[in-house]
Amino acid sequence: MTFQAKEPKFLWILLFILTITYAYALESTIWTNVAYGVSFLFFAALTMSYRLEVLEDRFIHVVQVFGFSIKKRIIHPYEVDKLTIIHLGQKAIILLHLKRGIRLKLQRFSPQGLEEKVLQFAKGHHIKVENVNPSQGRKRSN
């Protein structure tokens, strides 16, 4: 099943506007060009989206900017060290800890059901799952 998420826009819009304002106000040509370059990066971040496919034998995580895939990561079960699920009210943040020391944070994905799919994947491949509820402290590990 395929899940999609987009980068939240408010912070990137604010940073873009501030950078354009500074670029306009700066008198030095070098710093003005740097500010315009940074504002382009903030604009690119506005278009950033993520796609996650949960298959029986792997995860496929794709990062897209301007609709183009810039990074595709295939994660096999033997690469996953553990899974941490943080419950915040009705929402859940899933942290995928890889054995290479990388941690992948999965949140804001739609449609609903990512948590169940990831738990099925972990159970089917005997991956350690840790549930955390910040209001009650650490809950349990499987």
Side-chain angles (χ1 to χ4, degrees), residues 89-106:
Q90 297 293 334
K91 297 183 180 185
I93 298 172
I94 301 169
L95 302 176
L96 198 61
H97 300 270
L98 303 180
K99 292 183 179 175
R100 295 178 292 186
I102 299 171
R103 185 184 74 192
L104 203 60
K105 183 177 178 182
L106 307 174

Side-chain angles (χ1 to χ4, degrees), residues 80-126:
V80 179
D81 189 31
K82 72 175 182 174
L83 222 59
T84 302
I85 300 176
I86 303 169
H87 296 278
L88 299 170
Q90 297 293 334
K91 297 183 180 185
I93 298 172
I94 301 169
L95 302 176
L96 198 61
H97 300 270
L98 303 180
K99 292 183 179 175
R100 295 178 292 186
I102 299 171
R103 185 184 74 192
L104 203 60
K105 183 177 178 182
L106 307 174
Q107 68 178 19
R108 294 185 300 272
F109 278 89
S110 63
Q112 297 292 324
L114 176 63
E115 182 179 357
E116 292 81 20
K117 284 287 189 185
V118 170
L119 284 172
Q120 285 176 348
F121 182 86
K123 191 175 198 178
H125 295 285
H126 309 292

Side-chain angles (χ1 to χ4, degrees), residues 4 19 22 27 35 50 73 75 115 118 121 125-126 142:
Q4 295 188 355
T19 308
Y22 277 109
E27 295 178 7
Y50 308 93
R73 180 182 291 150
I75 304 167
E115 182 179 357
V118 170
F121 182 86
H125 295 285
H126 309 292
N142 294 335

